[in-house]
Amino acid sequence: MQPTPSAEEVLVREIVALFCDIDDFCLQFEPLWQQHLVSDGSRQRWREQRLCLSEVMTIGVSFHQSGYRTFKAYFLPYVQPHLRWAFPQLVSYTRFVELMAQALVPLCAYFQTRTGRSEGVAFLDATLLSVCHPKRSGRHKVFAGLARWGRNSLGWCYGFKLHLLINDIGELVAWRLTAANVDDRGPVRGLLKGVGGKVFGDRGYISQALFEDLLAQGVQLITKLRKDMKNKLMPLFDKLLVRKRSLIETVNDQLKNICQIEHSRHRCVANFLVNVVAGLIAYTYQEKKPSLHIRTQTPNSLPTLIL
């Protein structure tokens, strides 16, 4: 019988596995990205840095897996004294914050390698991301001209809105980020590009024009009806899945309270975006995601949905 690994051993394995996965991606992506920036005129030359791109991305993503509430509280008392074995060329906190902003494009590209796909059932929702307390919105300058006022069932919020599409096993399929005052139905066509089957959303997605456009693309948008709408017969399977729309609300809750994609201490737009994307990537590494458990696995075959 093998002994149970200690918490430190588990941490070492997780850090090494995360770095290896990100580094394999960077080995292919970084040369092409550098060549594009130089040919485009955005960069004249590319200087070597103490921390390589994969190390910066690894630390950024690992923060959202750590359970710490703020990155500063994670980096200074934990990363610097305890993770020197993994990052021997570690820089200061101020310098690392500058490097994080440069990792935005690679993180967005890496996220595309971590997405799931819809197997016929998907869920759609939008959640607000506050950038400051509502009372401080008048003197907030970091996101001036970008953040907007939005409202949900919990009240008003000054910031942005994250639009998510997940499949039936809780995997992220697509996402969009807009100002908080954008209608939930606005980014739907872009989110569902290349997706087929049935997509379930709340009453905020009710639109006859949107329904017809999506149906022409092979997507059936299903929502609950408003009180002033005529009742229509719905297959039992669809009626049951509409009630399970809370699956994506659970994902939103985990993204905010476990992966820490929302806080009010951002000092630049780039690092706000890095925080969101790194949090989404960290979520994709969760072993246990919210799931409907409606897939069946047969020997020597791919999983299929029980419809």
Side-chain angles (χ1 to χ4, degrees):
M1 184 175 179
Q2 296 181 349
T4 303
S6 64
E8 185 177 355
E9 291 175 342
V10 173
L11 176 63
V12 170
R13 293 176 185 176
E14 291 178 351
I15 289 289
V16 172
L18 177 63
F19 173 77
C20 290
D21 196 16
I22 293 178
D23 192 55
D24 289 342
F25 164 80
C26 289
L27 288 176
Q28 300 182 14
F29 174 80
E30 193 171 8
L32 298 176
W33 184 45
Q34 293 177 2
Q35 182 181 1
H36 171 74
L37 291 179
V38 172
S39 61
D40 190 16
S42 302
R43 296 285 294 268
Q44 298 298 324
R45 58 179 177 174
W46 200 274
R47 294 181 178 178
E48 291 291 334
Q49 299 175 350
R50 287 180 58 183
L51 277 182
C52 64
L53 177 62
S54 54
E55 290 178 312
V56 175
M57 293 171 62
T58 300
I59 295 176
V61 174
S62 65
F63 157 65
H64 296 275
Q65 299 175 320
S66 65
Y68 282 80
R69 297 289 296 177
T70 66
F71 182 75
K72 189 173 185 179
Y74 171 69
F75 188 88
L76 293 178
Y78 180 73
V79 175
Q80 284 191 334
H82 299 294
L83 294 185
R84 287 281 182 179
W85 60 268
F87 310 103
Q89 300 296 323
L90 198 61
V91 296
S92 66
Y93 170 75
T94 304
R95 176 56 180 162
F96 189 85
V97 171
E98 297 175 356
L99 295 176
M100 286 178 63
Q102 301 176 14
L104 175 59
V105 173
L107 283 170
C108 291
Y110 180 64
F111 174 78
Q112 298 302 317
T113 68
R114 301 289 307 170
T115 56
R117 66 175 186 174
S118 172
E119 297 290 346
V121 173
F123 295 88
L124 187 66
D125 196 20
T127 184
L128 293 174
L129 299 180
S130 175
V131 296
C132 71
H133 192 278
K135 292 184 178 180
R136 297 197 300 270
S137 61
R139 59 180 185 271
H140 188 80
K141 298 180 180 180
V142 177
F143 298 98
L146 298 174
R148 293 291 186 272
W149 283 100
R151 187 178 183 181
N152 58 11
S153 58
L154 299 178
W156 288 95
C157 165
Y158 181 75
F160 299 90
K161 185 179 290 186
L162 178 66
H163 306 263
L164 280 182
L165 180 70
I166 69 169
N167 57 20
D168 60 289
I169 57 176
E171 295 176 335
L172 302 180
V173 178
W175 69 285
R176 295 290 187 278
L177 189 69
T178 65
N181 62 346
V182 172
D183 193 300
D184 289 355
R185 296 166 290 190
V188 170
R189 292 176 177 84
L191 277 172
L192 300 181
K193 187 176 181 180
V195 176
K198 299 181 179 182
V199 177
F200 298 85
D202 59 19
R203 295 182 180 91
Y205 295 99
I206 294 177
S207 169
Q208 185 65 30
L210 178 62
F211 176 83
E212 293 176 355
D213 289 348
L214 294 178
L215 194 62
Q217 301 176 16
V219 179
Q220 184 182 4
L221 180 61
I222 302 173
T223 65
K224 288 185 177 180
L225 300 179
R226 290 195 294 260
K227 293 181 179 179
D228 58 347
M229 298 177 66
K230 294 182 179 180
N231 192 16
K232 296 183 179 180
L233 293 177
M234 184 183 297
L236 179 60
F237 181 75
D238 294 349
K239 187 177 294 186
L240 293 175
L241 287 182
V242 166
R243 297 176 181 176
K244 297 297 183 180
R245 203 194 62 81
S246 59
L247 180 76
I248 192 170
E249 295 177 354
T250 303
V251 173
N252 286 331
D253 180 73
Q254 292 188 4
L255 287 172
K256 288 185 174 182
N257 297 309
I258 297 179
C259 298
Q260 308 296 339
I261 66 169
E262 180 186 37
H263 68 77
S264 58
R265 298 167 297 278
H266 296 292
R267 294 298 176 261
C268 73
V269 177
N271 280 8
F272 161 73
L273 296 174
V274 168
N275 185 77
V276 174
V277 179
L280 295 177
I281 293 173
Y283 171 81
T284 65
Y285 278 96
Q286 285 188 194
E287 294 184 1
K288 296 182 179 179
K289 300 182 179 66
S291 175
L292 294 183
H293 303 289
I294 59 175
R295 298 193 183 189
T296 178
Q297 180 78 40
T298 56
N300 302 322
S301 68
L302 295 174
T304 57
L305 286 174
I306 304 175
L307 301 179

